Amino acid sequence: MVGSYKIRTDLALENREKFERDQVEVEGVALKQDYDQERDIRTTRVEIRTEHGAKVMEKPCGTYITVEAPDMALPDKKFHQEISRLLARHIRSMLPRDGKNLSVLVAGLGNREVTPDALGPQVIQQLNITRHMVKEYGNSGLEEGPACMVSSIAPGVMAQTGMETLEILRGIVRETKPTVIIAVDALAARSTRRLNCTVQLTDTGIHPGSGVFNFRSGLSLETLGIPVIGIGVPTVVDAASIVHDAVSQLLETLEEAEMEEFLGELITPGLQRMFVTPKDVDETLQVLSKTIAQGINLALQEA
């Protein structure tokens, strides 16, 4: 909290870190970390197990897996194949286990005309879509053998369609009856170091636009009637966070109350409406969208 301004993040990991800095344990929230030193990949699993934990963390109960790798923003094909395999393993762990033949709807959320928000639509373009083939020919129509039925949609944003994403997906779910939805969206981070080099997966669904305070109806088991797996990459950070971090380092000698008062005056309403993205975001998202799409393809091929 900066004065009356609340710094925004979509990452459960960053919400948890606020309490780590204060050396406070959150009841009902479990944290487990794994670090691959050779590849410099850190995987953090946050489990929110109780309603108290959900209230404190400001996230629904469920599992949040965050994969961080500084080299993820680089066009290293071999490294991204490793990331795709890691993502596939985590996606498979979240898929429903009550049946062998899954029907999966992948929703690529966001505005394809706005680069930092185009992750979802770009991922959709690189998926192996199989529903039409399976319905027509069965699994024999697939070159690589048995697989899930996969369909996809890039529903756009409300300004383009006049409809809530939830409304569109409810209609698709009613007509095509998928077993599970995988929703891919761009996120907002608290820290600039996590931009375009972090992937969050969660079994709690996703809230389109919440990262930039453009709150839309959430996509979840409660709203759609089937499980929703959310996959996101933070592509933006709010300007207030950048100002906060820069000034805090310069004024470390101030008391906390004085620091908060100063920052509250410095961070104007104009800054609160600004979100910043790296200048190479267009190139980076081309790489990341392929990595995530390949992770989904692998997960559904082997599910």
Side-chain angles (χ1 to χ4, degrees), residues 115-116 122 196 277-287 289:
T115 303
Q122 288 189 21
N196 296 336
T277 191
K279 64 180 182 180
D280 61 347
V281 64
D282 49 348
E283 298 173 1
T284 305
L285 283 193
Q286 289 180 8
V287 175
S289 62

Side-chain angles (χ1 to χ4, degrees), residues 3 12 22 25 29 32 44 51 92 99 101 114 142 172 181 203-204 208-209 220 222-223 227-228 233 244 252 268:
D22 297 332
E25 289 295 325
V29 178
K32 181 180 179 182
T44 306
E51 290 302 321
R92 282 196 298 272
N101 299 318
V114 179
L142 302 177
I172 296 173
I181 293 175
D203 58 7
T204 65
S220 64
E222 290 72 24
T223 59
V228 180
V233 173
H244 176 276
E252 290 179 346
T268 63

